[in-house]
Amino acid sequence: MDGEELTEQETQLYDRQIRVWGADAQRRLSKAHVLVCGIKGTVAEFCKNIVLAGISSLTLVDNRLVTEEALSANFLIPPDEGVFGGETVAELCCDSLKDFNPMVRVSALKGEPSSIDEEFLKTFDVIVVSCCSLAEKVKSVNEKCRKLHKRVSFYTVDCRDSCGEIFVDLQDYKYAKKKLEDTVECQLSYPSFEEAISVPWKAHPRKVSKLFYALRVIERFEEAEGRNPGETSISDLPGVLKLKKELCDSQSLNEAHIPDVLLERLVANSKEFPPVCAIIGGILGQEVIKGISGKGDPLKNFFYFDALDGKGIIEDISSEP
């Protein structure tokens, strides 16, 4: 993302944040191209943050039509139902985001993550995926990103009830951070999403967040039942609990690590909780900015938040010890 310097207009517009992270970081942001697949409340918060930060372009992909659920958490969709006119979620969000920062090119693209090819993906620096099945995350996007000759940062985000998860794959990533009075160069190696969730549970070095396990159970349940992400209800709880037992037995994990009450919350209340959307969307925006600018310690590689205890937990689930 090396290129020309910031224009005078950019320097004036982004003066405050340049004072925070420097002109070089802002220059990198101003050349960055971001693709987002799936736009619910959490991703709407992220898009707002990254557009205000001053990236070069944002491309939105979400073919869903507006529903009552979408209106409950996605502030980018106008509340007046009369204005929809058959437009997709991506098209409506695109119109709203353009008002936040006219210097950022925002566009909506019709299509599905499964139809995106490598030639198209290589035109981006960052890809954020939400509302997608396990197969779409792994096969349609993350694997293709890793086959490219350039490094493309990959993120997934999921928010259910008052809980949230972020996954980060920066591949082989170099960055700078301050240590006392000096700036030191650091490097991290990230696993893909499939590699991370394939690490045997019994091989985890310590007690991992209960949300990691609970979301893997629900992910597997939705995949087995042919459901779209979030298409669960309380009537599915017996099937989810049965699958939990099977997975815990096969992974040699004590069932107490995945409380039934947590699974019940996530299954029965799969809609997003707007205040948590703001928290998770803000953290995701911060991580993407760090990833683009190359400044500061990036998250590696899972982040979890539960509003019930107010804790944010980082889990590094990379490989077998």
Side-chain angles (χ1 to χ4, degrees), residues 45-59:
E45 292 281 355
F46 161 74
C47 289
K48 176 258 295 180
N49 294 335
I50 205 73
V51 165
L52 289 174
I55 58 172
S56 177
S57 72
L58 175 65
T59 302

Side-chain angles (χ1 to χ4, degrees), residues 87-286:
E87 287 186 288
T88 65
V89 169
E91 289 169 332
L92 288 166
C93 291
C94 175
D95 292 339
S96 296
L97 285 166
K98 287 178 179 178
D99 294 333
F100 282 91
N101 188 346
M103 293 191 68
V104 177
R105 298 191 305 275
V106 184
S107 60
L109 180 73
K110 289 191 175 181
E112 301 289 344
S114 57
S115 65
I116 295 175
D117 59 25
E118 293 172 28
E119 281 298 309
F120 180 68
L121 289 177
K122 75 179 185 182
T123 63
F124 297 95
D125 304 293
V126 174
I127 297 173
V128 176
V129 172
S130 183
C131 320
C132 291
S133 67
L134 178 60
E136 286 178 318
K137 289 178 189 174
V138 173
K139 302 293 183 184
S140 300
V141 185
N142 196 195
E143 279 191 6
K144 291 177 182 175
C145 287
R146 287 182 152 258
K147 291 178 182 177
L148 300 174
H149 294 302
K150 63 177 283 190
R151 186 183 65 81
V152 176
S153 300
F154 173 81
Y155 300 80
T156 69
V157 61
D158 189 12
C159 189
R160 297 170 187 246
D161 188 54
S162 56
C163 302
E165 173 188 67
I166 296 172
F167 168 78
V168 180
D169 176 13
L170 302 182
Q171 300 181 40
D172 291 320
Y173 178 70
K174 296 179 181 179
Y175 65 101
K177 74 172 186 177
K178 286 195 173 182
K179 190 173 183 180
L180 299 178
E181 297 299 317
D182 299 322
T183 298
V184 295
E185 295 293 324
C186 305
Q187 184 167 352
L188 289 173
S189 182
Y190 286 74
S192 67
F193 186 76
E194 184 172 32
E195 289 168 342
I197 65 172
S198 296
V199 175
W201 293 356
K202 63 182 179 182
H204 291 163
R206 58 183 175 83
K207 188 178 178 182
V208 170
S209 169
K210 293 177 173 63
L211 276 169
F212 171 84
Y213 298 119
L215 289 169
R216 302 292 76 80
V217 172
I218 293 174
E219 205 169 53
R220 290 282 293 273
F221 177 82
E222 290 174 341
E223 183 181 41
E225 295 292 319
R227 309 277 186 87
N228 290 322
E231 286 185 355
T232 57
S233 66
I234 193 63
S235 63
D236 293 313
L237 187 59
V240 171
L241 294 179
K242 180 175 180 289
L243 179 58
K244 179 193 91 164
K245 185 178 187 314
E246 293 171 358
L247 289 173
C248 286
D249 289 345
S250 65
Q251 295 275 4
S252 301
L253 183 75
N254 189 321
E255 289 185 46
H257 285 322
I258 318 177
D260 291 355
V261 66
L262 175 58
L263 286 171
E264 183 176 351
R265 278 176 61 200
L266 298 174
V267 168
N269 304 301
S270 59
K271 293 182 180 179
E272 296 173 303
F273 186 46
V276 174
C277 293
I279 294 169
I280 302 297
I283 291 170
L284 179 58
Q286 168 187 288

